[in-house]
Amino acid sequence: MLDSLRPVLAEHPFLSDLSPRHLDLVVGCASNVRFEAGKYLFREEEDANQFYIIREGKVAVEIRTPHRGPLTVQTVSAGEILGWSWLLPPYQWHFDARAVEPTRAIALDGKCLRVKCENDHDLGYELLKRFAQIMEQRLEATRLQVLDIYGNPS
Amino acid sequence: MSPTNPDPMVPTPFRVQRVRQETHDTFTLELEPARGGNGFSFQAGQFNMLYVFGVGEVPISISGDPTRSKMLVHTTRAVGTVTKAMRRLKRGDILGVRGPFGSHWPVEVAAGSDVVIVAGGIGLAPLRPAMYELLSRRDQYDKVVLLYGARTPEEILFPRELERWRAHFDLEVHVTVDRAMGGWRGNVGVVTTLIQKAPFNARSTTAMVCGPEVMMRFTVMELLKRGVKTDNIHISMERNMKCAIGFCGHCQFGPVFVCKDGPVFVYGRIKDLLTKWEI
Amino acid sequence: MSVPPHRVHDQVRLPGEQLQTLIEALRLLGYRVMGPKVAEGAIVYDELTSAAELPVGWTDEQKGGSYRLVKRNDGAAFGYALGPHSWKKYLHPAVHRLWKAKREGNGFEISEETPEVPKLAFLGVRACELHAIAIQDKVLTQGVFRDPIYSSRRENVFIVAVNCSQPGGTCFCESMGTGPQATFGFDLALTEINVNGRHDFLVEAGTDRGTEMLQKIPHEGATEKEKKTVAEIAAQAAQHMGRQLNTHEIKELFYRSLEHPRWDEVAERCLNCANCTMVCPTCFCTTVEDVTDLAGTEAERWRKWDSCFTADFSYIHGGSVRASRKSRYRQWLTHKLATWIDQFGSSGCVGCGRCITWCPVAIDLTEEVLAIRQAGSTDSAALPTKEEQ
């Protein structure tokens, strides 16, 4: 199973240019996962011990609001990365993630990766660089959403 | 030259055939020349000055099909005195029309390449004529991609048409909203996030972008990141206009007059001004 | 700016008293003669029926934010520089009704205006003003569209230029290449000469109808010496410009100075009163106003001069594009001196200095240009800082 994931991970833009040694370390923490539509990948305040590389389907990142129900703030679909709370203490999810379509993903075990990153700071740095980029993109997108640019200006 | 009145400052009467509410604050007017005649020919991306009797006149882009010019179609948002008065018009009422004015989308020039259309909010209205035209000669283009962002699912403009287009096997249509409640199964996120994933060959792509200025700036950044060339990106600008023929001075944007040099510009021509404030 | 080559015509001498004959001859041809007269403490343009109405014996003293009429110690009729009015008030009227409409059923009927076009003769047009008229010709008649109001008025105008012998304290036509001598764009050009207290005119015709007009008026041949005085007077006037402006690569200078700190500085003084745009002989911006009667059955559309200094000027739903005073002053000056060149092939400034004289807080565009040149732009530290004085 791990062997079958290696080429998939090696070709993914998120892990491109990772050294074979580091890629092996990442592959060692990877597993295939599948979620039916409507199932939660994780819930707010649960322990954040993985991140996902979505291969197929679509996942909604939601915030629960008391009277209006869940508000979707972002969707993540094929090719994209979901979740970085596993990287930073207290390793807890801040949002809900729900599959809105049948979804296939590769789950990367966060606990496993954290240990490997502590032991090999080069790997840690490689992963942080990649997550920093994703965070930057999300932050920019969030800023644009906050601007409410399509809203009625008057 | 204007097919309406020979004096470009005098409106020609058009009769309202239909007023359709699109979203909570947008609506579409279908107009026919009140004095008869052969409809209204225009090019995708152009605009008209619409006059409501005794209230005033505003520039509104044309949202109808340039290949079927019998009916003149405008879609706008009820946001000021004139457009709010326009929304109250009924079938049979008369509206003054001057136009068409301005530059158009490079639909012909794009032949042979991929076309990416990126629209935000009401910005889909001036791009719809370009979609109609592209579809009327679909075989001349390679990939055709429409990326559309709206505020919420309820504020998606022309939803039925988007569905119809999405069903075309030779069109890629992706819609996203800034936020949604539970029932929405589509994308959530700003329209710029769709660009990196969209299937087009950046090296030979013509991009047409319309939406709020901020959305256009960030969209252009993503397109450039993908490798689309500066001179293959076209954006549609909005400024105050009183005459639409380059005399009143209101629509100046640096050295260009948005009314006659635009509203559609090659991005490369105005990029230096877009990041300066209050130009 | 591009100027047609100087048309060489023979100067003739017109005795001073024949100015009255010229006015009468123009009136006889159906022209209303517009020219300078003293009114409201200034030299303004108004209808003349007699040469006696000219500002004989008056001159003006102008500096930043200041204009005063002063008695001359001779009887010169054109011994002043320029008043607040420019000829655009006749060619590009400040207020004009475009059309009227009447409600009929659920529609309305528009009746176009077919206004009587006045047949005007301008007497006393300065070289800078000829250039200003040429600039407005370019803006309003030589694009894709023609402004019918301007065009119809302009076609009729008979122009009598009078060379400037006494530039004002805010003048800089010499710097702009637009004066002080009239070189084109006139039917007749006069130069006032004072020989032993006698004020006569040297006259040159610039068009066939100018020549025809001259034939109707008693005149004499000019001596070679007199003919030379035209150039001498111009050369002398050129020496007495109150201001100077360095136009070297001025477009590039302004294009790279959009974020220059000087704009903040000038914004602290500028009142955004729009005076400069009203007195400027090339400013052409207008707005339209739609008005109705109380019953809502009749509507009219009026065109009025507008100014880029107002907040409404750039309003689009949500607010003004140019919300700050700074951005509005920057728009005006950058348009006038830089973007105008890209739009219409010449500067929008003719160096008449009216915007300096009539600015209530004495903002001086020549000073602003100098400051922008000297302090270096935000976009490039290495600017050509050629000294201007």
Side-chain angles (χ1 to χ4, degrees):
Chain A
M1 165 134 173
L2 291 186
D3 285 347
S4 70
L5 283 179
R6 196 179 196 283
V8 179
L9 290 172
E11 276 170 31
H12 197 280
F14 182 69
L15 298 173
S16 64
D17 299 332
L18 210 59
S19 73
R21 187 171 57 88
H22 286 154
L23 188 64
D24 285 341
L25 292 173
V26 173
V27 170
C29 301
S31 62
N32 266 315
V33 288
R34 208 178 258 281
F35 300 91
E36 295 308 314
K39 293 284 177 216
Y40 284 88
L41 282 74
F42 51 79
R43 306 292 293 257
E44 185 180 330
E45 292 198 3
E46 283 176 0
D47 290 344
N49 285 327
Q50 59 282 119
F51 77 92
Y52 300 93
I53 297 174
I54 309 295
R55 300 181 69 181
E56 197 183 304
K58 187 185 288 168
V59 178
V61 178
E62 298 173 342
I63 303 179
R64 292 177 162 275
T65 55
H67 305 296
R68 297 185 296 166
L71 177 72
T72 306
V73 292
Q74 184 201 357
T75 50
V76 181
S77 49
E80 295 182 297
I81 307 297
L82 172 69
W84 60 70
S85 297
W86 67 275
L87 253 177
L88 307 161
Y91 312 115
Q92 252 178 10
W93 295 118
H94 297 163
F95 299 97
D96 293 348
R98 184 174 57 89
V100 285
E101 292 170 9
T103 298
R104 274 192 322 126
I106 297 171
L108 283 305
D109 184 325
K111 268 188 186 162
C112 159
L113 279 174
R114 287 200 295 262
V115 172
K116 288 180 179 175
C117 288
E118 282 303 333
N119 293 338
D120 182 342
H121 284 187
D122 286 349
L123 173 65
Y125 180 60
E126 286 300 324
L127 285 181
L128 266 178
K129 269 201 293 191
R130 287 162 165 77
F131 273 97
Q133 202 160 41
I134 286 176
M135 289 175 189
E136 189 263 343
Q137 285 162 6
R138 297 281 153 83
L139 179 60
E140 181 183 301
T142 305
R143 282 173 173 160
L144 288 177
Q145 280 170 298
V146 167
L147 273 180
D148 195 16
I149 43 181
Y150 310 126
N152 195 329
S154 59
Chain B
M1 186 61 196
S2 156
T4 55
N5 203 296
D7 180 340
M9 285 307 286
V10 177
T12 299
F14 274 65
R15 192 174 300 282
V16 176
Q17 294 300 316
R18 195 168 162 196
V19 186
R20 188 174 50 236
Q21 190 76 24
E22 299 285 357
T23 65
H24 75 95
D25 63 351
T26 58
F27 61 98
T28 294
L29 294 174
E30 293 180 7
L31 309 168
E32 266 182 1
R35 296 177 192 143
N38 296 324
F40 190 92
S41 62
F42 70 99
Q43 289 177 291
Q46 288 191 298
F47 68 96
N48 282 323
M49 298 296 288
L50 299 188
Y51 169 70
V52 180
F53 180 80
V55 182
E57 192 184 55
V58 284
I60 308 280
S61 58
I62 305 169
S63 63
D65 188 343
T67 64
R68 293 164 64 239
S69 61
K70 191 166 153 29
M71 197 72 83
L72 172 60
V73 183
H74 285 278
T75 303
T76 189
R77 186 180 204 172
V79 71
T81 324
V82 181
T83 45
K84 280 176 182 160
M86 227 173 255
R87 182 164 60 173
R88 289 193 294 270
L89 292 173
K90 302 269 180 297
R91 181 186 166 86
D93 285 349
I94 300 289
L95 200 67
V97 176
R98 297 195 291 123
F101 298 118
S103 61
H104 54 86
W105 298 112
V107 177
E108 284 182 26
V109 181
S113 73
D114 289 2
V115 176
V116 177
I117 287 184
V118 190
I122 188 78
L124 184 58
L127 278 165
R128 190 169 70 163
M131 279 300 289
Y132 288 138
E133 219 178 319
L134 290 165
L135 288 172
S136 77
R137 39 171 141 153
R138 177 64 188 86
D139 55 333
Q140 293 184 10
Y141 308 93
D142 206 344
K143 294 192 180 68
V144 176
V145 180
L146 168 64
L147 308 176
Y148 177 54
R151 192 183 190 210
T152 62
E154 297 73 39
E155 286 165 274
I156 290 172
L157 197 60
F158 311 138
R160 278 183 300 275
E161 220 145 12
L162 287 166
E163 274 310 314
R164 214 160 41 238
W165 289 337
R166 201 206 300 267
H168 281 239
F169 68 94
D170 55 0
L171 278 184
E172 279 277 342
V173 177
H174 296 281
V175 177
T176 185
V177 296
D178 276 1
R179 65 188 69 95
M181 300 308 283
W184 171 249
R185 291 170 53 89
N187 296 309
V188 177
V190 284
V191 69
T192 50
T193 58
L194 299 177
I195 293 167
Q196 297 311 320
K197 296 180 282 185
F200 58 88
N201 174 11
R203 297 274 150 217
S204 102
T205 285
T206 302
M208 309 178 198
V209 185
C210 187
E213 231 171 272
V214 178
M215 168 261 171
M216 292 199 290
R217 288 211 312 268
F218 281 87
T219 297
V220 167
M221 272 193 252
E222 292 298 321
L223 289 168
L224 293 173
K225 237 189 264 175
R226 269 287 297 261
V228 182
K229 296 184 196 115
T230 308
D231 287 340
N232 288 347
I233 300 174
H234 302 259
I235 67 175
S236 182
M237 294 293 296
E238 184 182 15
R239 283 293 180 271
N240 184 312
M241 287 180 197
K242 294 293 181 191
C243 76
I245 53 180
F247 292 153
C248 78
H250 284 244
C251 70
Q252 285 178 80
F253 181 53
V256 303
F257 288 85
V258 172
C259 73
K260 58 175 189 180
D261 302 315
V264 177
F265 290 97
V266 172
Y267 171 70
R269 185 171 178 197
I270 54 170
K271 70 182 168 81
D272 293 342
L273 294 169
L274 276 171
T275 50
K276 300 280 190 291
W277 290 111
E278 298 189 293
I279 295 296
Chain C
M1 85 179 301
S2 71
V3 173
H6 183 185
R7 304 178 63 143
V8 182
H9 296 270
D10 233 12
Q11 301 280 351
V12 298
R13 183 187 178 120
L14 189 77
E17 63 273 14
Q18 295 301 339
L19 210 51
Q20 179 62 28
T21 318
L22 173 63
I23 292 172
E24 283 166 12
L26 285 165
R27 287 169 63 83
L28 217 60
L29 283 175
Y31 289 105
R32 292 172 61 195
V33 180
M34 302 298 170
K37 60 164 73 163
V38 173
E40 296 169 55
I43 290 167
V44 299
Y45 298 143
D46 199 355
E47 183 158 10
L48 301 177
T49 53
S50 151
E53 292 171 280
L54 290 166
V56 175
W58 288 100
T59 191
D60 47 20
E61 272 183 13
Q62 302 194 37
K63 51 189 183 194
S66 160
Y67 175 99
R68 278 199 313 163
L69 280 186
V70 181
K71 268 287 183 195
R72 290 176 67 94
N73 52 18
D74 65 10
F78 297 93
Y80 60 91
L82 283 168
H85 292 183
S86 74
W87 303 101
K88 82 172 176 183
K89 72 173 183 167
Y90 298 119
L91 297 173
H92 185 50
V95 178
H96 187 90
R97 187 169 58 208
L98 294 171
W99 45 258
K100 287 191 277 193
K102 215 180 168 80
R103 185 180 282 286
E104 276 171 20
N106 51 4
F108 55 90
E109 199 59 46
I110 289 178
S111 50
E112 289 181 44
E113 289 289 292
T114 43
E116 208 177 298
V117 178
K119 192 175 169 186
L120 302 178
F122 297 165
L123 172 62
V125 183
R126 300 302 195 193
C128 59
E129 299 184 303
L130 292 173
H131 281 265
I133 292 169
I135 288 170
Q136 287 212 325
D137 286 351
K138 176 83 183 165
V139 173
L140 297 169
T141 71
Q142 292 164 22
V144 178
F145 295 97
R146 273 165 70 87
D147 175 24
I149 304 163
Y150 183 91
S151 305
S152 61
R153 288 167 169 254
R154 177 73 177 92
E155 280 157 15
N156 279 330
V157 171
F158 189 98
I159 292 182
V160 183
V162 177
N163 281 319
C164 186
S165 59
Q166 187 149 359
T170 56
C171 286
F172 55 102
C173 65
E174 168 75 356
S175 301
M176 302 311 291
T178 55
Q181 193 179 350
T183 56
F184 76 103
F186 53 80
D187 294 293
L188 292 174
L190 278 53
T191 305
E192 191 168 17
I193 52 171
N194 179 352
V195 184
N196 303 325
R198 219 189 114 77
H199 288 266
D200 288 345
F201 295 92
L202 294 165
V203 187
E204 137 186 46
T207 58
D208 290 345
R209 63 177 183 173
T211 308
E212 281 166 34
M213 176 55 64
L214 201 49
Q215 278 156 10
K216 296 181 208 277
I217 306 158
H219 59 267
E220 307 153 13
T223 64
E224 286 310 310
K225 185 166 177 274
E226 283 168 343
K227 288 178 188 173
K228 277 187 195 149
T229 57
V230 175
E232 284 164 15
I233 287 171
Q236 207 236 353
Q239 297 293 312
H240 287 88
M241 293 288 146
R243 295 285 194 279
Q244 282 186 305
L245 190 127
N246 175 3
T247 59
H248 176 70
E249 290 182 356
I250 196 158
K251 186 180 93 176
E252 293 73 16
L253 172 71
F254 273 85
Y255 278 13
R256 67 171 177 260
S257 303
L258 290 168
E259 290 172 347
H260 197 288
R262 183 69 180 188
W263 300 120
D264 290 308
E265 201 277 333
V266 69
E268 286 181 15
R269 291 176 284 140
C270 178
L271 308 175
N272 272 225
C273 73
N275 265 16
C276 49
T277 53
M278 298 294 110
V279 295
C280 177
T282 66
C283 272
F284 58 85
C285 290
T286 53
T287 187
V288 293
E289 276 180 27
D290 291 288
V291 294
T292 46
D293 63 345
L294 284 175
T297 56
E298 283 177 30
E300 296 180 347
R301 173 169 298 167
W302 289 80
R303 190 180 82 177
K304 297 181 172 179
W305 283 357
D306 201 2
S307 172
C308 51
F309 281 98
T310 69
D312 268 359
F313 189 84
S314 61
Y315 185 88
I316 45 178
H317 55 85
S320 282
V321 171
R322 294 182 209 106
S324 69
R325 284 190 291 175
K326 158 188 160 177
S327 68
R328 302 207 278 267
Y329 186 84
R330 179 181 68 183
Q331 166 62 20
W332 179 70
L333 195 59
T334 304
H335 183 217
K336 192 71 36 185
L337 296 175
T339 53
W340 204 298
I341 297 171
D342 271 342
Q343 292 170 349
F344 304 110
S346 79
S347 174
C349 177
V350 295
C352 72
R354 287 186 180 94
C355 58
I356 308 172
T357 300
W358 296 97
C359 175
V361 294
I363 293 171
D364 179 342
L365 85 167
T366 64
E367 210 175 286
E368 297 312 309
V369 172
L370 194 63
I372 284 171
R373 239 184 232 292
Q374 287 182 336
S377 85
T378 47
D379 300 355
S380 155
L383 279 183
T385 52
K386 196 176 156 194
E387 287 293 319
E388 271 185 81
Q389 205 64 36

